[in-house]
Amino acid sequence: MAFRGPKVWLWRWRRNPLKRRADVVESWVVLGVWALTVLAGVLAGSATAGSVENGLAQERVEWRPLVGRLTEQAPGRAAASGSSSGEQVWAKVGWTGPDGSPHTGQVRVGPGSAAGTPVEVWTDPQGRLVTRPASASQARLRASLVGGLAGVGMATLPLAGGRVLRSRLERRREDQWDAEWARFAVLWGRPTS
């Protein structure tokens, strides 16, 4: 392995008589792509996280628990008294909405629950059945995960675009090298190809 010497910071902007215009353009493209990648990722991630957290906070405010009653016996056998396996089955439940209209839906309950058993159901302002809203800590975690994913996804766009642009610059640089080698090969009396 050859010794390369100390690492030089900002080597792309150093003065060098062999540096070409394409090298200068590439150095600015690299800088711009990285700046745009970080900016796009942070902005998209924070905007998405804020939106998700606000949406989940609105659900916590608007969604309300109601007491519904099973309209039929839940399938399965009831667990022995004092033991709970954590198993739950789907059963039909009925409840009265905020406007007084009757509603029915399916919820998870313990197996073998009798008809008429009170069950907690969560509803939206229109009285439709919804899941329990996320707690504040769950909302923060979800918002962070979704925001991070959105940020990474958005950051890949300028990164991919920069990669395409750099490959085109590289191709152009290789074509220039080929043209210059062909010109010098004639001076040396050697054919190229």
Side-chain angles (χ1 to χ4, degrees), residues 2-190:
F3 178 71
R4 298 179 80 154
K7 184 171 181 151
V8 178
W9 290 98
L10 302 174
W11 62 270
R12 291 182 183 272
W13 286 276
R14 287 181 38 208
R15 292 181 186 262
N16 185 339
L18 299 177
K19 189 182 338 180
R20 299 181 175 174
R21 185 169 182 256
D23 298 327
V24 174
V25 170
E26 183 180 9
S27 65
W28 285 106
V29 165
V30 168
L31 180 66
V33 163
W34 278 109
L36 193 58
T37 297
V38 170
L39 183 67
V42 168
L43 289 178
S46 62
T48 303
S51 176
V52 168
E53 196 161 359
N54 288 340
L56 293 173
Q58 186 175 356
E59 288 176 0
R60 279 194 306 277
V61 169
E62 293 178 351
W63 294 0
R64 294 282 172 234
L66 296 174
V67 176
R69 299 209 176 267
L70 291 180
T71 58
E72 56 191 33
Q73 182 169 347
R77 288 188 0 195
S81 63
S83 70
S84 63
S85 65
E87 181 183 343
Q88 292 195 326
V89 295
W90 289 102
K92 193 171 183 181
V93 66
W95 70 93
T96 304
D99 60 354
S101 61
H103 296 275
T104 59
Q106 296 271 331
V107 294
R108 308 262 305 168
V109 295
S113 297
T117 303
V119 178
E120 181 184 61
V121 294
W122 285 83
T123 61
D124 64 7
Q126 290 75 37
R128 294 180 300 228
L129 189 62
V130 294
T131 60
R132 178 186 299 263
S135 68
S137 61
Q138 290 171 335
R140 272 192 302 278
L141 178 63
R142 284 185 197 174
S144 298
L145 292 174
V146 172
L149 192 59
V152 168
M154 183 58 86
T156 60
L157 294 176
L159 206 56
R163 185 67 194 130
V164 167
L165 186 56
R166 285 189 66 200
S167 68
R168 286 186 179 173
L169 287 170
E170 184 68 30
R171 225 174 305 132
R172 184 170 179 213
R173 187 174 21 245
E174 287 175 6
D175 291 343
Q176 288 174 346
W177 273 98
D178 289 343
E180 289 179 17
W181 277 114
R183 196 172 69 212
F184 281 109
V186 170
L187 294 175
W188 295 332
R190 296 182 188 143

